[in-house]
Amino acid sequence: MLEPSHNNELPAIPGKRYFTIGEVADLCAVKAHVLRYWEQEFPQLSPVKRRGNRRYYQRADVITIRQIRSLLYEQGYTIGGAKQKLSSSEAKEDTSQYRQLIKQMIAELEEVLDVLNAPAS
């Protein structure tokens, strides 16, 4: 029922504009077929489609997918419950998305700090 590796922290989202379905699958620790299924179930997910229906996700999509993943795999919601939670006014105030953004910003700032602290060669 649950996907493996739920206790692991998800990797930081790179500073790219678009991500392929494979990249998003790795970033969110879900398989590509799960992402395609979630597109059908959650109207909030609408990746840009180009060249032969290839999907390109944006940063906001990746954050939404991580939120869906958290609701389903960590908080135990059903698909229907997760849909309701995301579409309700409560979702706008949901702190999980803000926590994800803060974690992402911290990771990016730590990378910048590492670069700044690196000895000049």
Side-chain angles (χ1 to χ4, degrees), residues 1 3 17-18 22 26 32 41 45 47 49 61 69 73-74 77 80 83 85 96 98 102-104 111 115 118 120:
M1 180 174 146
E3 294 276 324
R17 185 167 178 150
Y18 293 106
D26 291 341
E41 294 295 324
L45 285 182
K49 290 189 181 178
D61 295 321
R69 180 187 181 280
Y73 296 159
E74 295 164 12
Y77 280 79
K83 283 163 90 165
K85 176 100 169 143
S96 66
Y98 295 115
I102 290 169
K103 285 180 187 177
Q104 175 67 32
E111 288 175 16
V115 169

Side-chain angles (χ1 to χ4, degrees), residues 67-96:
Q67 188 174 17
I68 291 168
R69 180 187 181 280
S70 174
L71 289 171
L72 296 176
Y73 296 159
E74 295 164 12
Q75 297 175 44
Y77 280 79
T78 62
I79 295 276
K83 283 163 90 165
Q84 276 187 322
K85 176 100 169 143
L86 288 174
S87 62
S88 71
S89 61
E90 200 176 71
K92 292 170 182 59
E93 298 169 4
D94 192 345
T95 59
S96 66

